[in-house]
């Protein structure tokens, strides 16, 4: 049970966009009334414990999403005690991140699975944010942050990146029914945190009315 007027804030954006740094800043800012729900990969136990990022067909895509639904439930249960007292619950990726991945894959030659994925994820008992903060990076900034030997398609395929960005800018808010606030993640971490806190304070005022 969430505390009265608790706000669930999902952080979205590419790897190395600063989500973990921003999450720490927000939890510190709202301590002791804050909780952090780590990303799916961390809860599962690492990259090897989650399904492949690029499934071969619709059946494999749907099976992967079922696994992520189960992981979503695990991370909520693991943090239930701190969530109960939370004013702000910071979630590193939510169901919209899963759907964005399917959306981008379908539009760049992957399985035609978006409608089936949407139907599944909208009906599951998953974490539903009140506010989504999307850490936006230019293509140049994304490439500059790629570690040597990193092969995540999010960085390496500009067309895929554009579809992810399009999803959060044009599609996600209608599906989720909550504000999607784009943050400029190319600046200093304290500047990004200030942008995020301003968006959170605005939303807290709305839910407390």
């Amino acid at each position: 049970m969430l505390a009265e007027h608790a706000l669930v804030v999902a952080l979205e954006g590419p790897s190395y966009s600063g989500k973990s740094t921003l999450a720490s800043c927000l939890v510190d800012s709202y301590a002791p009334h804050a909780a952090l729900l780590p990303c799916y990969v961390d809860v599962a136990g690492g990259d090897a414990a989650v399904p492949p990022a690029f499934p071969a067909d619709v059946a494999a895509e749907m099976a992967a999403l079922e696994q992520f639904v189960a992981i979503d439930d695990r991370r909520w249960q693991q943090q239930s005690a701190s969530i109960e007292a939370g004013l702000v619950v910071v979630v590193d990726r939510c169901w919209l991140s899963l759907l964005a991945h399917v959306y981008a894959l379908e539009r760049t030659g992957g399985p035609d699975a978006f409608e089936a994925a949407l139907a599944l994820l909208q009906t599951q008992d998953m974490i539903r944010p009140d506010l989504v903060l999307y850490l936006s990076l230019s293509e140049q900034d994304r490439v500059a942050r790629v570690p040597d030997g990193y092969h995540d398609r999010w960085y390496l395929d500009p067309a895929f990146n554009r579809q992810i960005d399009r999803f959060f800018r044009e599609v996600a808010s209608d599906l989720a029914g909550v504000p999607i606030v784009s943050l400029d993640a190319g600046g200093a971490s304290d500047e990004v945190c200030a942008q995020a806190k301003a968006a959170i304070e605005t939303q807290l005022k709305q839910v407390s009315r």
Side-chain angles (χ1 to χ4, degrees), residues 85-151:
L87 172 67
V88 174
V89 180
V90 181
V91 183
D92 189 342
R93 298 198 185 280
C94 69
W95 70 282
L96 292 170
S97 189
L98 305 177
L99 194 59
H101 192 84
V102 178
Y103 179 93
L105 278 179
E106 181 176 295
R107 284 154 181 77
T108 54
D112 186 13
F114 180 75
E115 291 301 327
L118 176 61
L120 171 68
L121 295 178
Q122 284 187 321
T123 58
Q124 296 298 308
D125 185 19
M126 300 184 71
I127 297 167
R128 305 288 173 180
D130 304 299
L131 172 67
V132 177
L133 302 179
Y134 176 57
L135 279 69
S136 177
L137 284 170
S138 67
E139 191 67 28
Q140 181 178 359
D141 284 338
R142 276 196 295 265
V143 172
R145 296 186 185 189
V146 179
D148 291 339
Y150 194 70
H151 300 293

